[in-house]
Amino acid sequence: MTEHVLPERQLKELQKAILDFMHTRGYTESAQAFARETDNEGFTADPNDRHHNLLAKKWTSVIRLQRKIMELEAKYAKLQDDVKSGAVVRRAAAKGSTEWLPRPPVKARLAQHRSPITSVRFHPQYPVLATASEDMTVKIWDAESAEFERTLKGHTKAVQDLVFDPKGAVLVTCSADLTLRVWDVADEYKCVRTLHGHDHCVSAVRFLGPDKLVSASRDKTIKVWELSTGYCIRTLSGHSEWVRSVDVSADARLVCTGSTDHTVRVWDPNTAECKADLRGHEHVVEVAKFAPVNAYACIRRLADLPQQPAVVQNSDGAPANTPATGLYVVSGSRDKTLRLWDVTSGQLLHKFVGHDNWVRDFVFHPSGKTIISVSDDRTMRVWDLATGRCAKTIEASEHFTTCIDFSIVSPLVATGSVDTFVGLWECR
């Protein structure tokens, strides 16, 4: 007996997709014979069934991937020829790709959602984009070709946020239906766990190390979850209103949150202790994030702080210390500003002024030299972190621009809007 390469479940999926194709094309006798031989008698083709047209879609995807592979092989062969001929020359003075910024016009407008976009997130290892919407769905896209791949259904109210784990094996979503859902990326994004515990809309979610999650909710709490069991292991309380955003320091030792109560708080997730209460915003804080370590030099220049001394080395050459993470937080608010905070002292270091409406989201450029923010004024603004000035303003959408993410795989930025479209922007 021939051993099947496919697992049993995937084999059944393939058989049903073939049967659907046969029925759709009118190959009735062949379909009946195939159904008998594969123990699928009684199968009925249904336009609403997920197997409908699946074979054709998969075949189209295979052709598209083959074409992409051929294009990449051709580019690779040309690059090899250029290297051999000496045509490739390193230009030290040229602007590096790590400093590329999004430039108009928009590369692609992704149109599949039927309600406002709430979150966009790139996969950490592949050119894949996940988008969340108030239409209760998550959609997966090929970020390079801008082609739609699949829809994830399960939430019963608006999906508010999503995040991939650092390896890209798991996608976690949170929703106004009070739940978080865990999706297995490798198993065709199958929902493998649903987390219950919040008493109101779950606004934001982030990974807290490899096996923990942290979520923020309209129930005024922040919860820490154990991913392997789905249990809530700790609840952080202190905000007096809706907790709208959550972020985790690079070493997972601190968590920061932004709230409708106009404050930003920094927490120790292991003890639930509030380490800092940052006050100064005059309206709802929509988003708060820790600054990455590679942004510290620009931040210190902006705030006129002494630069950190060089890392001291031990006698064996190993570093004696490493830069601390979680030292600075940037927040965006409905008061139309972004603010930079020193977590240790609680001091406001700088206020970024320029947006004409609510600041909804922002992202640090991978270089650590700029911040890119989006707002209800429909723009995307690039801020020079060393000077605090707005270096570029781009018309991002035709309605309020709600979210943004920067790919670390390819030079792309994604923005989402209330107009239901997702914009893909090429960086150069």
Side-chain angles (χ1 to χ4, degrees):
M1 181 179 177
T2 305
E3 185 178 343
H4 294 298
V5 177
L6 293 174
E8 185 64 27
R9 189 181 68 81
Q10 291 184 6
L11 182 62
K12 282 293 180 184
E13 295 281 311
L14 176 60
Q15 291 169 353
K16 290 178 180 178
I18 293 171
L19 281 169
D20 174 85
F21 175 78
M22 288 180 169
H23 280 289
T24 303
R25 302 297 296 178
Y27 307 142
T28 309
E29 293 183 7
S30 299
Q32 290 173 348
F34 187 71
R36 283 195 304 272
E37 292 182 5
T38 57
D39 295 326
N40 282 296
E41 290 182 281
F43 175 85
T44 304
D46 183 355
N48 297 318
D49 188 82
R50 62 194 181 91
H51 301 100
H52 184 61
N53 279 339
L54 183 61
L55 195 64
K57 291 176 184 176
K58 293 288 186 184
W59 180 253
T60 304
S61 297
V62 168
I63 297 299
R64 176 167 53 84
L65 288 171
Q66 284 180 333
R67 187 167 62 247
K68 187 179 292 185
I69 289 169
M70 291 171 66
E71 290 172 358
L72 289 171
E73 285 176 340
K75 287 180 182 179
Y76 178 66
K78 185 179 183 305
L79 284 171
Q80 282 187 316
D81 291 341
D82 289 345
V83 169
K84 290 176 182 177
S85 65
V88 176
V89 179
R90 177 174 292 181
R91 293 177 296 170
K95 189 177 182 181
S97 60
T98 56
E99 297 182 28
W100 287 349
L101 294 170
R103 296 182 183 275
V106 65
K107 177 187 176 184
R109 279 163 61 86
L110 312 184
Q112 280 283 337
H113 284 292
R114 291 183 284 184
S115 294
I117 309 300
T118 54
S119 184
V120 291
R121 199 75 59 206
F122 284 103
H123 192 282
Q125 295 186 2
Y126 304 110
V128 170
L129 176 67
T131 58
S133 167
E134 290 182 10
D135 65 11
M136 303 183 289
T137 71
V138 172
K139 294 188 183 290
I140 308 298
W141 312 79
D142 182 319
E144 288 186 341
S145 66
E147 292 188 16
F148 169 71
E149 292 191 346
R150 70 178 70 229
T151 299
L152 310 186
K153 295 181 179 180
H155 285 296
T156 56
K157 289 188 178 179
V159 184
Q160 302 286 7
D161 196 15
L162 40 70
V163 63
F164 286 100
D165 75 302
K167 294 182 179 179
V170 171
L171 175 68
V172 179
T173 57
C174 64
S175 167
D177 65 10
L178 318 189
T179 70
L180 298 94
R181 285 179 176 259
V182 182
W183 311 80
D184 186 341
V185 174
D187 193 8
E188 298 185 339
Y189 290 88
K190 178 183 178 182
C191 182
V192 294
R193 182 165 283 116
T194 303
L195 313 183
H196 300 268
H198 279 295
D199 298 324
H200 213 315
C201 167
V202 189
S203 316
V205 60
R206 290 293 179 271
F207 271 86
L208 182 66
D211 189 46
K212 290 180 183 176
L213 296 168
V214 59
S215 60
S217 169
R218 195 172 180 176
D219 65 12
K220 308 176 188 178
T221 70
I222 304 101
K223 290 185 180 292
V224 178
W225 308 81
E226 194 173 61
L227 185 61
S228 57
T229 63
Y231 294 147
C232 174
I233 58 175
R234 193 165 293 108
T235 298
L236 285 59
S237 300
H239 281 294
S240 60
E241 295 289 345
W242 185 347
V243 189
R244 290 183 169 270
S245 76
V246 65
D247 194 39
V248 177
S249 63
D251 58 8
R253 293 181 180 178
L254 294 173
V255 166
C256 71
T257 53
S259 169
T260 299
D261 65 14
H262 303 189
T263 70
V264 176
R265 287 180 177 245
V266 178
W267 311 80
D268 182 334
N270 296 313
T271 64
E273 177 188 359
C274 179
K275 308 291 285 186
D277 186 355
L278 310 176
R279 296 174 179 266
H281 278 296
E282 299 164 8
H283 209 319
V284 171
V285 180
E286 288 281 348
V287 57
K289 297 180 182 180
F290 286 106
V293 172
N294 67 346
Y296 287 5
C298 290
I299 289 173
R300 291 191 173 105
R301 196 174 305 127
L302 172 65
D304 198 23
L305 298 172
Q307 290 295 324
Q308 189 177 33
V311 175
V312 179
Q313 290 190 335
N314 293 323
S315 57
D316 60 359
N321 55 32
T322 54
T325 63
L327 296 184
Y328 305 103
V329 166
V330 174
S331 54
S333 167
R334 293 184 184 180
D335 64 13
K336 308 177 188 178
T337 70
L338 294 107
R339 300 187 187 221
L340 169 65
W341 310 86
D342 184 318
V343 172
T344 306
S345 66
Q347 181 184 357
L348 174 65
L349 299 179
H350 189 79
K351 183 164 66 172
F352 300 85
V353 179
H355 278 296
D356 298 324
N357 210 329
W358 297 356
V359 178
R360 296 294 293 270
D361 196 10
F362 68 88
V363 65
F364 285 94
H365 191 280
S367 68
K369 295 180 180 180
T370 56
I371 293 173
I372 309 173
S373 60
V374 292
S375 162
D376 278 1
D377 64 12
R378 309 179 186 183
T379 68
M380 171 167 47
R381 291 178 186 255
V382 179
W383 306 86
D384 186 326
L385 202 46
T387 65
R389 298 192 185 115
C390 179
K392 182 189 291 286
T393 301
I394 300 170
E395 294 295 325
S397 60
E398 296 178 1
H399 209 311
F400 302 152
T401 313
T402 56
C403 49
I404 185 170
D405 196 29
F406 202 117
S407 173
I408 59 173
V409 176
S410 50
L412 292 171
V413 165
T415 56
S417 170
V418 168
D419 63 13
T420 76
F421 292 105
V422 174
L424 271 180
W425 305 81
E426 200 164 29
C427 300
R428 54 188 189 275

